[in-house]
Amino acid sequence: MLIDDKYTPDPYKLFSVSDPKPRRIHKASVRDRVLHQAVYRVLYQIFDPTFIFDSYSCRKKKGTHRAVCRLERFARKASRNFRKPVFVLQCDIRKFFDSVDQNVLLDLLRRRISCPETLRILEQIINSFETVPGKGLPLGNVTSQIFANIYLSELDQFVRHQFRTKYYLRYCDDFLFVDQSSEVLKKLILPLRSFLNSQLKLDLHDDKIIIRKFRQGIDYLGYVTRPYYRVLRTRTKWRILRRAEEGGVNDQPLCFYLGILSHCRSREIQNMLICLWSGQSRSRL
């Protein structure tokens, strides 16, 4: 069908998940998912070398744990090994996947892709979904992951060239800055908002613009990072324990939960999980 130029995307199947906040997932057909994987592999090789080092979402040898470790390293350097106060500015983009402008995304793709057949396939994938006319990417497509990084790479380049800040990292649409001065961080908000509005047609989430002292604890990517140690986010901890008490721990291997907990101070909750898992296993026998 691709060779004969007869391919058209199938409709998506919609379902919702709540883990923890509700999300609407659009699942593509098996045929389309095979195509999405092929497209992803090609785009990754072309675009990943252009991304900054401190972009951590959906990239090889990156991920949430490396991003959290990088935050701790930034704070340690900026605070001179935690001897001076240091501040963190956290920002989030309002409804990012629903707000991606499809024309802007296609323009970014055309900068590095000239093959008309490939561009036609990319346009079909992008236009196969919209929240409002001309906007939106589906949560559930593997292509949405690389499209998001391509789109927000523009923000990364803006930050690197305009702010020349040493301590900036991004995981998808959650990004942060570390600095010794809270006033310096406050001055970044307006130009960030202006750039996102004018160039990417996105908005900052006003309720999620936060400036905190690092020693108060920075809640980022599931962990709360403080000087010298980190702990699991409280909501995540209670959700894991609740599932374990309800018997849900058997829905995931114990090593799944212990793997999450191994990246933070968590001996007490690990012991509780092991006891709950052992008791449930014996009761099932």
Side-chain angles (χ1 to χ4, degrees), residues 157-168 177 188:
Q157 297 301 329
F158 170 77
V159 168
R160 187 171 70 173
H161 294 295
Q162 296 298 317
F163 297 157
R164 302 186 184 278
T165 180
K166 290 182 180 179
Y167 306 122
Y168 161 81
F177 301 81
L188 301 181

Side-chain angles (χ1 to χ4, degrees), residues 33-222:
R33 294 205 299 274
V34 172
L35 174 62
H36 295 168
Q37 284 287 348
V39 168
Y40 178 88
R41 292 181 183 185
V42 173
L43 292 183
Y44 189 93
Q45 294 178 7
I46 295 171
F47 284 96
D48 189 75
T50 70
F51 298 154
I52 65 170
F53 179 85
D54 287 309
S55 168
Y56 287 88
S57 173
C58 304
R59 299 179 65 193
K60 296 176 183 177
K61 298 184 180 180
K62 301 291 184 177
T64 57
H65 299 128
R66 288 181 184 266
V68 172
C69 290
R70 189 67 164 171
L71 165 60
E72 183 178 354
R73 185 176 181 184
F74 282 170
R76 186 181 293 273
K77 284 187 173 182
S79 64
R80 308 287 178 85
N81 202 26
F82 305 128
R83 289 178 296 183
K84 293 187 176 182
V86 67
F87 298 85
V88 178
L89 166 63
Q90 293 178 261
C91 298
D92 183 272
I93 296 173
R94 184 186 298 275
K95 296 182 178 179
F96 169 68
F97 283 96
D98 288 346
S99 304
V100 168
D101 188 285
Q102 296 175 352
N103 289 326
V104 172
L105 175 58
L106 286 167
D107 287 342
L108 295 175
L109 291 168
R110 293 187 186 106
R111 292 182 186 179
R112 292 190 171 271
I113 297 174
S114 57
C115 172
E117 291 84 2
T118 303
L119 286 170
R120 185 162 56 250
I121 293 170
L122 293 174
E123 188 170 356
Q124 285 180 304
I125 293 172
I126 292 169
N127 292 338
S128 67
F129 173 87
E130 58 184 15
T131 50
V132 296
K135 286 186 177 289
L137 291 176
L139 282 173
N141 276 11
V142 67
T143 50
S144 295
Q145 300 172 4
I146 189 71
F147 289 155
N149 276 337
I150 293 169
Y151 204 84
L152 290 177
S153 180
E154 297 299 297
L155 171 64
D156 300 337
Q157 297 301 329
F158 170 77
V159 168
R160 187 171 70 173
H161 294 295
Q162 296 298 317
F163 297 157
R164 302 186 184 278
T165 180
K166 290 182 180 179
Y167 306 122
Y168 161 81
L169 66 85
R170 179 178 62 80
Y171 188 93
C172 196
D173 61 325
D174 294 331
F175 55 98
L176 57 78
F177 301 81
V178 180
D179 199 276
Q180 292 181 355
S181 169
S182 61
E183 294 303 317
V184 168
L185 294 177
K186 287 178 184 177
K187 292 177 181 178
L188 301 181
I189 297 172
L190 186 59
L192 280 170
R193 191 189 301 275
S194 177
F195 174 82
L196 288 169
N197 287 340
S198 61
Q199 301 300 315
L200 299 179
K201 302 186 180 354
L202 300 172
D203 293 311
L204 286 177
H205 198 306
D206 290 331
D207 296 336
K208 296 184 179 180
I209 300 174
I210 302 168
I211 297 178
R212 289 173 62 88
K213 291 181 180 178
F214 182 74
R215 64 177 175 80
Q216 293 177 295
I218 304 302
D219 188 339
Y220 190 60
L221 302 179

Side-chain angles (χ1 to χ4, degrees), residues 7-13 27-32 128:
Y7 168 76
T8 56
D10 291 331
Y12 290 95
K13 292 183 179 180
K27 185 174 74 170
S29 66
V30 173
R31 180 199 66 163
D32 286 354
S128 67

